[in-house]
Amino acid sequence: MKKTEFLEILRKKLKEKGIHSEDSKEVLDDYRAMIEEALLSQEDEEKFIEGLGTPSSIIKSLKLRKTPLQKNKEKIIGMSPFIAIIIFFLVGFFLNGFAYSWLAFLLIPMTAIVLEESGFDRWIGLSVFGAIFAFFGLGFGFDLWHPGWVVFTLLVPAGLAGQTVKFKWLLMTIALGLIGGYTILEFMAPARLNALLLIPLIPLAFSSKVIQIKLEDIKFKWKVSLVGLGFALLVISIYIYLGWTLGWWHPAWIILLVIPIGLVGYSQWADKKRFSLIEYMPFVSVILFVIIGEMFNGYAYSWLIFLLIPMVGVLSDKGDE
Amino acid sequence: MNAQFKKGIVEVCLLTLVEKGYQSAYQLSKAMKDDLEVTENTVYPMLRRLTEKNLLTYEKEKSPAGAPVKKFVLTPSGIEHLEKEKEAWHQFIHQIANILGDTK
């Protein structure tokens, strides 16, 4: 990475984290000075910048002042798990809706996305959660697990809408046309061959950058995107296959949770991070929650599985090393 | 090596290097890298902490490359702190050497 790119990412990260403008300026000036001095000493630019650490790790290691707005945002994000728990129990007990009330926990990352992200990341992040809500709404509400899963394919035109690519509107129209065509065909003349209509969405998904983990600090960005997309397509194909052949649209959708599990694993490996079970726990908990809920009709108590998340968090906490 | 233990050593080394005349964050991290396994990612936050603790202060100097460079110097309390820390470390190293020598 070159100086200009590094400083630009650092500037963006400081802004994203809501760091006070004076502190941000000081850190940027200091790093600029450090890099320029290294270059004057004939150091290799890329190697030196690599040694500085990632912009995120730099910010993490510094005690920096935050803006009042950022402090308020963090308070709201901190409250969101409690609000989600209240909604979860209210819907679960009063509407006997434990099978779906766990969706309230999605409010936690959604709150963080709304308050912490901006631009394309916010748009695509909310689109993903919108698709998840729509999928479960169609499934639990109208038993439309199939072809309700098609809502996920809407992420391709949503991804296109959020960025500047050539022929954006044409590509979006094509994608929406294919998805609409498939959905209508499935209602009027259901047949597996109808799914051929969705195949052109695969190359469109590449250009829409739908599957893209936020790892701009590391070199593996493109690799993660490709692996993520390939892996997601594989898992979705298995899900659709199970749905078609065995009619397991529900609750086999839990297989879709393998996608974030795989992506977390891959990003940990790509980022050379130590294995961290806590990052998998939200997904693993939902899988166990649904399995116990469905197999033993135990939604009324399988929510206890979610307590595993803080428990693993406590057990994984190594304190100040 | 225990992280807390290493942090203590790095802090003393950093203050000593400033005392010896290494002034900028770059010079200090380069000098530290030569002998200890530390990176700029360790040195820079530590310089900020030591400045906040009033053990170091700095003046900004114009650089031929463009961005002004912070030149660090020890404050009076920094000099006093360094003397105390050096003495403590020498004593500690002496005690450890005694123990290790006895176990042979």
Side-chain angles (χ1 to χ4, degrees):
Chain A
M1 197 188 295
K2 297 280 184 189
K3 181 184 88 175
T4 322
E5 191 188 349
F6 173 82
L7 291 172
E8 181 54 23
I9 294 173
L10 182 57
R11 190 190 64 76
K12 273 188 191 165
K13 286 276 170 192
L14 287 161
K15 198 178 168 196
E16 265 176 31
K17 302 277 177 192
I19 303 299
H20 197 282
S21 58
E22 282 176 19
D23 282 11
S24 293
K25 189 182 177 309
E26 191 183 358
V27 171
L28 282 167
D29 284 348
D30 288 346
Y31 272 90
R32 181 176 293 115
M34 227 189 306
I35 296 169
E36 285 175 356
E37 206 178 344
L39 295 179
L40 278 178
S41 305
Q42 309 296 320
E43 293 235 21
D44 179 79
E45 187 174 1
E46 298 206 353
K47 206 175 161 192
F48 180 78
I49 288 173
E50 200 180 322
L52 292 176
T54 64
S56 298
S57 69
I58 289 170
I59 298 168
K60 212 174 164 185
S61 68
L62 300 172
K63 275 186 187 167
L64 299 167
R65 288 174 296 164
K66 291 182 175 170
T67 59
L69 178 67
Q70 182 63 22
K71 284 179 192 166
N72 286 335
K73 280 181 181 178
E74 286 175 9
K75 276 182 196 161
I76 296 169
I77 293 168
M79 284 297 292
S80 64
F82 302 104
I83 294 167
I85 290 171
I86 292 168
I87 296 173
F88 170 72
F89 282 117
L90 285 178
V91 175
F93 283 122
F94 291 107
L95 301 176
N96 199 20
F98 277 112
Y100 52 86
S101 69
W102 60 271
L103 287 166
F105 291 111
L106 296 179
L107 291 174
I108 304 169
M110 282 177 80
T111 309
I113 288 170
V114 169
L115 296 176
E116 295 279 355
E117 304 291 350
S118 58
F120 179 72
D121 290 330
R122 182 192 281 174
W123 165 250
I124 200 68
L126 289 178
S127 302
V128 170
F129 285 101
I132 293 172
F133 276 115
F135 172 66
F136 285 107
L138 289 167
F140 286 121
F142 307 97
D143 204 25
L144 280 173
W145 299 100
H146 173 76
W149 58 267
V150 173
V151 293
F152 289 111
T153 60
L154 288 169
L155 291 173
V156 175
L160 286 165
Q163 55 187 326
T164 46
V165 286
K166 271 187 182 176
F167 310 116
K168 179 169 121 176
W169 296 106
L170 177 67
L171 294 174
M172 275 174 62
T173 311
I174 293 171
L176 286 170
L178 292 168
I179 296 165
Y182 170 76
T183 313
I184 293 167
L185 268 178
E186 270 304 286
F187 279 114
M188 298 184 73
R192 285 175 200 172
L193 279 176
N194 293 344
L196 289 174
L197 267 178
L198 297 177
I199 289 176
L201 291 176
I202 297 170
L204 286 175
F206 277 94
S207 56
S208 73
K209 294 186 188 167
V210 169
I211 307 293
Q212 182 169 309
I213 298 181
K214 282 194 68 191
L215 289 175
E216 63 219 22
D217 293 349
I218 64 165
K219 293 176 185 171
F220 300 95
K221 185 178 170 181
W222 67 273
K223 236 190 213 178
V224 174
S225 305
L226 290 183
V227 171
L229 183 60
F231 185 64
L233 286 173
L234 177 71
V235 175
I236 291 168
S237 308
I238 293 171
Y239 171 62
I240 294 170
Y241 177 77
L242 287 174
W244 271 340
T245 53
L246 305 169
W248 287 2
W249 297 105
H250 172 72
W253 55 263
I254 53 173
I255 201 175
L256 297 174
L257 292 168
V258 174
I259 298 173
I261 289 175
L263 295 183
V264 167
Y266 186 79
S267 64
Q268 277 185 8
W269 173 80
D271 214 7
K272 292 178 184 165
K273 279 187 192 167
R274 208 184 294 171
F275 172 78
S276 162
L277 184 61
I278 186 69
E279 291 182 42
Y280 299 92
M281 282 316 292
F283 313 111
V284 173
S285 301
V286 174
I287 292 173
L288 293 173
F289 167 74
V290 173
I291 289 174
I292 297 171
E294 287 292 325
M295 287 184 71
F296 307 104
N297 198 20
Y299 279 115
Y301 54 84
S302 70
W303 57 267
L304 288 164
I305 285 290
F306 290 116
L307 295 177
L308 281 174
I309 302 173
M311 282 166 76
V312 170
V314 171
L315 290 173
S316 309
D317 187 15
K318 295 185 177 64
D320 293 334
E321 283 185 27
Chain B
M1 194 187 285
N2 176 288
Q4 205 59 34
F5 185 71
K6 190 173 173 180
K7 194 177 150 192
I9 300 173
V10 172
E11 198 173 293
V12 176
C13 292
L14 199 57
L15 290 170
T16 308
L17 287 170
V18 176
E19 189 187 37
K20 284 182 178 176
Y22 293 87
Q23 287 188 307
S24 69
Y26 169 71
Q27 286 172 350
L28 286 160
S29 33
K30 193 168 176 352
M32 295 282 278
K33 262 197 279 189
D34 291 341
D35 293 314
L36 289 171
E37 277 180 31
V38 290
T39 60
E40 290 80 0
N41 211 3
T42 310
V43 174
Y44 179 69
M46 198 166 276
L47 284 170
R48 284 181 67 96
R49 271 201 301 277
L50 293 169
T51 309
E52 276 167 22
K53 282 160 79 179
N54 196 33
L55 299 176
L56 289 177
T57 186
Y58 62 82
E59 274 186 18
K60 283 188 178 180
E61 278 185 19
K62 277 187 181 175
S63 141
V69 179
K70 281 181 184 170
K71 300 281 184 181
F72 292 90
V73 286
L74 289 170
T75 61
S77 52
I79 295 169
E80 197 182 324
H81 176 81
L82 179 60
E83 285 311 311
K84 276 186 195 165
E85 287 295 307
K86 269 187 186 174
E87 202 182 311
W89 273 106
H90 284 137
Q91 202 177 349
F92 179 70
I93 290 163
H94 181 69
Q95 286 164 344
I96 297 293
N98 276 346
I99 292 169
L100 294 178
D102 287 346
T103 54
K104 272 187 183 174

